[in-house]
Amino acid sequence: MNTLENLQRRFASADFLSFSAIAPGFIAVQVRTDFSAATIALQGAHIMTWQPNGQEPVIWLSPQAKFAPGKSIRGGVPLCWPWFGAHATEAAYPGHGFARTIAWELMDALKLPDGRVRLSFEPVMNNAARAQWPHASTVHYNITVGQELDVALSTTNTDTTPFQLGQALHTYFEIGDIRQASVVGLAGCDFIDKVAGGARLQQDGAINFSGETDRVYLGTTGCCEIRDPVLQRTILITSTGSRSTVVWTPWTEKAEKMGDFGPDGYLKMVCVETANAVDDVITLAPGETHCMAAQYRAIKHG
Ligand code: TA6
């Protein structure tokens, strides 16, 4: 189990890491590289911040995020696993699965020859998680911090029967103003519009935002980008092992109801989530491994 003391002892020689308790029972690791800095909570292996040198943060963290064991953090890169959204049959199970609210263990931290830093995490399954997920599986999560941010979530079925896996990197990106931002690259893709009662529609051109938007794009492969004229940058999102992309802004009413966005916090974020959800849920055979990965890169204009 990772305690502050044993982490500081195990990684004492790693001058690119430091550890702190950001709230009682809530440990975070700070990563510093020549290119960028990141903060990751051990709960959920939850990337909370990532900021390339000389740029605004790329990952948004709510100014009113709560840090309490078992409570999901508003913002960052929450891991939705082993299901996305509501559980298929058990309404009492947590939305988006339990991965983001259980402890994860930092297994390894390495500075690569090119100066990037790679951290490897594994979940510490508790009794509730085992009860909600009666399948034998192993999970590895690699985070590589550099000029880009690379994340890779691998699941292996170590059981004797297949299981269905839903998942998402529920990433909150920081933007200047949602009303002027757009998401490009999903034109022509079918999507489920959760604001329109689950209607199935097709994307025409870029995605612009003028109200609550909650869409699961299906059959998406590869990449899309967030264009931000206010911060004068484009955030490139490239993914592998993912066939769904979720695009979400809560807008005013939903954000107020959620209570941890902060005043007008919703204006400064948009979620573009690399996922396998709904029609794109993965069926993993015994012995099979599925890796879902994403890379984030912010390019300044002007
Ligand atoms: O990914 C979009 C979504 O499924 C929305 O429907 C909304 O519920 C959002 O996730 C936030 O969920 P959370 O459980 O983190 O509050």
Side-chain angles (χ1 to χ4, degrees), residues 185-186 189 218-224 239 242-245:
L186 297 174
C189 294
L218 299 168
T220 60
T221 50
C223 64
C224 60
S239 58
S242 156
R243 290 191 49 78
S244 320
T245 302

Side-chain angles (χ1 to χ4, degrees), residues 137-171:
S137 60
T138 57
V139 188
H140 300 278
Y141 182 44
N142 281 345
I143 299 170
T144 306
V145 182
Q147 190 58 53
E148 298 83 18
L149 179 66
D150 288 89
V151 292
L153 181 65
S154 288
T155 304
T156 300
N157 180 343
T158 55
D159 212 325
T160 55
T161 54
F163 57 62
Q164 292 232 306
L165 175 65
Q167 54 187 344
L169 302 164
H170 194 301
T171 305

